Amino acid sequence: MPAKTTKKVTDKKVVAPVKKVEEKKVEVKEASAKKTATKKVEEKPAEEKKVEVKKTPAKKTAAKKVEEKPAEEKKVEVKKAPAKKTTAKKVEEKPAEEKKVEVKKAPAKKTAAKKAEEKPAEEKKAPTKKTATKKAPAKKAAAKKTTVKKTTTKKATTKKMTKEEQYAKLSVDTCFDLAKAMSMDVTRDSIIQQLVLNPDVKSVAQDLVNKYQLRGKFKFEEDGYDEDLVEVLVSKVYATADIKPQKAEDLQADVDHALNYKYTDVVADGEEYKSQFDTMRKVLMIAQHKDIHDSKKLDEEIGIDVEKFVEEFMDLAYSVLKTWKYEDVDYYEHFIYAVLSQLEDLHNTYRNRIMMDVADLYILHGDYGLGDADYGYILRENQIKDYIYYRYASIYEGVDKDKAKQIANQALQFVDDRFTYYPNIIAVLEG
């Protein structure tokens, strides 16, 4: 058949051997084109049935090549390449002796074209420039995938952290911020004060949970915190606070100073109270850590007269706290009861006195309900009532004289002239 051409054909010709069929060689030469993509087409020998020739993408304007058939070939099928593919495909040209012609396609999703080798008898390989230029994007794509995988791994690790592990990573300041979010009114100093009274972290934490009614109020999965955070906060404060017991010899000079202190004025007495409070705190901590429950044994341990020091401290506190804040009275009550609970012999000696001291201070600060309740309890538990009634009536003299007389009159049901404080009660009644 005569060769057909479209538009222009270069000086090179496609020769189809008609006369010499027995040699079975076909050579196809590329046309040097200015177009953007060209394809190589294999020409099969006379024994092969089909020759597949693929065209360049439909969008390109390159001229198409048409092959001349030998006289012996039966069919020539021309297949078009998919319009969307941009990668040029190369077809290998094999010698006449090979039975099959294989055309390999590059994967549609990859950006780099594969090299196809020509295998004529004496021709060399011709690498294409497009293959080299399209490898770099593939590497970049792989790098991006690796980065995404790393990020995903980190997120998965964070999600797997337990609540305890997340709490452990929080700073003390963050714990306090979360405590405020749970409506807790606590500070580092207030927690330290509670730890001084009770060095058991779990016990202090439970007291705070109960005080602020946090049980089941918050859920970690929804709020990011719950009542278990309180123990974490207390333990972190305990780990950073200086609440360890001091050496015994370091306390002796401080206790000697306390026992010899003379009251001067409100300011000086207030400073002395702070100093003695700190010394008493250290004495209490030694007793707690040594598990000592008797003041005499503690005397031997630290070389001081513990009972005298406790009595001196209570006297000073009763004098100073009359002009201090209500909160100071509340804290003193808890502290002094911690001391007396640790030293059981002193608790038996001073329990009535300390209860009346605290009741007086509450009344002076306007908490009449709590003060009256304390006095009511003491009166029910004691057979000898003259001194208790006198204390109770006399504290109201400076607050409410009518109530003071009412208390004195009530005392006469239980007290007569045989009792030591009968004259004092009559003085309040007639005052």
Side-chain angles (χ1 to χ4, degrees):
M1 291 175 66
K4 294 180 182 181
T5 59
T6 57
K7 293 184 181 180
K8 293 181 181 180
V9 179
T10 56
D11 294 336
K12 294 184 182 180
K13 296 181 180 180
V14 179
V15 180
V18 177
K19 295 179 181 181
K20 297 179 181 181
V21 176
E22 64 279 1
E23 293 180 1
K24 297 180 181 179
K25 293 185 179 180
V26 180
E27 295 180 358
V28 180
K29 295 185 180 181
E30 294 182 0
S32 56
K34 295 180 182 179
K35 288 78 179 176
T36 58
T38 61
K39 296 183 178 178
K40 293 184 180 180
V41 182
E42 294 180 359
E43 188 171 320
K44 294 185 178 179
E47 290 79 8
E48 294 180 342
K49 294 181 178 181
K50 296 180 182 182
V51 176
E52 295 181 2
V53 179
K54 295 188 178 181
K55 293 185 178 182
T56 55
K59 292 181 181 180
K60 296 182 180 179
T61 57
K64 302 178 181 177
K65 291 184 180 180
V66 181
E67 297 178 353
E68 284 187 6
K69 292 184 180 178
E72 293 76 12
E73 288 184 340
K74 294 181 179 181
K75 294 180 183 180
V76 176
E77 293 182 7
V78 180
K79 296 183 180 180
K80 293 184 179 181
K84 293 182 180 179
K85 294 183 180 179
T86 58
T87 308
K89 299 179 181 178
K90 295 184 179 179
V91 182
E92 298 178 357
E93 185 173 332
K94 295 186 179 179
E97 288 77 15
E98 293 183 0
K99 293 181 179 181
K100 296 180 181 180
V101 177
E102 296 180 0
V103 179
K104 295 183 179 180
K105 296 181 180 181
K109 294 182 180 179
K110 293 185 178 179
T111 56
K114 296 182 179 178
K115 293 184 178 180
E117 297 181 352
E118 279 187 29
K119 296 182 180 178
E122 297 179 358
E123 285 185 7
K124 295 182 180 179
K125 296 179 181 179
T128 59
K129 293 181 180 179
K130 290 184 179 180
T131 304
T133 54
K134 291 187 178 181
K135 286 183 180 180
K139 291 181 180 179
K140 289 182 179 178
K144 288 181 180 179
K145 289 180 180 179
T146 305
T147 306
V148 172
K149 287 181 180 178
K150 287 182 179 179
T151 306
T152 305
T153 304
K154 288 182 180 179
K155 288 182 179 178
T157 304
T158 304
K159 289 180 180 178
K160 290 181 181 179
M161 288 178 64
T162 64
K163 178 177 72 174
E164 290 74 17
E165 289 172 338
Q166 293 186 52
Y167 276 160
K169 288 189 174 184
L170 297 178
S171 66
V172 177
D173 291 338
T174 302
C175 287
F176 274 112
D177 290 339
L178 295 177
K180 289 180 181 178
M182 292 191 289
S183 301
M184 293 180 66
D185 184 17
V186 291
T187 63
R188 188 174 183 273
D189 289 338
S190 68
I191 292 176
I192 290 175
Q193 288 175 351
Q194 287 179 274
L195 288 170
V196 168
L197 305 179
N198 180 11
D200 186 357
V201 170
K202 289 187 177 181
S203 177
V204 171
Q206 289 303 315
D207 289 343
L208 289 172
V209 169
N210 294 334
K211 179 180 179 180
Y212 291 99
Q213 300 178 352
L214 301 178
R215 189 73 60 198
K217 192 174 181 180
F218 300 96
K219 293 183 179 180
F220 180 80
E221 294 76 11
E222 298 177 4
D223 304 300
Y225 46 80
D226 57 13
E227 67 268 16
D228 293 339
L229 175 69
V230 178
E231 184 175 337
V232 176
L233 172 60
V234 175
S235 63
K236 287 179 181 292
V237 171
Y238 182 82
T240 57
D242 183 20
I243 52 177
K244 295 179 181 179
Q246 201 168 355
K247 293 181 180 180
E249 54 269 22
D250 296 335
L251 297 175
Q252 292 172 0
D254 293 336
V255 172
D256 288 340
H257 172 78
L259 295 177
N260 293 298
Y261 178 75
K262 304 298 181 183
Y263 292 19
T264 52
D265 55 46
V266 176
V267 176
D269 293 348
E271 293 300 320
E272 179 63 20
Y273 169 73
K274 292 178 183 178
S275 176
Q276 289 192 22
F277 188 100
D278 187 56
T279 304
M280 183 61 72
R281 176 178 65 84
K282 294 173 184 177
V283 170
L284 172 62
M285 294 184 70
I286 291 174
Q288 288 172 336
H289 284 269
K290 297 286 186 179
D291 196 27
I292 298 174
H293 297 276
D294 185 87
S295 63
K296 301 303 179 187
K297 290 183 179 180
L298 188 58
D299 289 351
E300 295 174 2
E301 182 69 28
I302 59 180
I304 64 172
D305 190 333
V306 176
E307 184 174 355
K308 282 187 178 180
F309 178 46
V310 169
E311 189 172 2
E312 164 61 26
F313 176 66
M314 290 192 297
D315 289 343
L316 181 62
Y318 186 75
S319 175
V320 169
L321 293 177
K322 289 177 181 179
T323 58
W324 280 30
K325 294 180 181 179
Y326 179 90
E327 291 78 9
D328 298 316
V329 176
D330 179 68
Y331 182 64
Y332 168 72
E333 178 186 13
H334 288 85
F335 178 69
I336 196 60
Y337 272 112
V339 174
L340 297 180
S341 296
Q342 182 68 31
L343 303 172
E344 296 173 358
D345 60 320
L346 298 184
H347 181 269
N348 294 332
T349 302
Y350 295 105
R351 61 181 178 180
N352 287 334
R353 177 199 163 166
I354 197 60
M355 188 174 291
M356 287 187 286
D357 284 356
V358 171
D360 288 351
L361 292 171
Y362 279 132
I363 290 170
L364 292 173
H365 283 82
D367 192 345
Y368 309 126
L370 187 55
D372 292 346
D374 284 347
Y375 268 112
Y377 174 81
I378 300 169
L379 289 168
R380 287 192 303 272
E381 297 297 319
N382 288 272
Q383 295 297 322
I384 302 175
K385 307 178 186 296
D386 60 326
Y387 177 70
I388 302 170
Y389 268 115
Y390 165 67
R391 284 277 304 257
Y392 188 19
S394 63
I395 199 64
Y396 269 105
E397 281 192 294
V399 177
D400 185 345
K401 286 188 177 182
D402 290 337
K403 188 169 183 176
K405 290 180 179 182
Q406 181 182 351
I407 294 170
N409 188 54
Q410 184 181 353
L412 295 179
Q413 299 177 31
F414 307 95
V415 178
D416 55 32
D417 56 2
R418 294 173 298 173
F419 291 87
T420 304
Y421 287 90
Y422 175 77
N424 303 83
I425 295 173
I426 295 300
V428 173
L429 189 58
E430 294 177 352

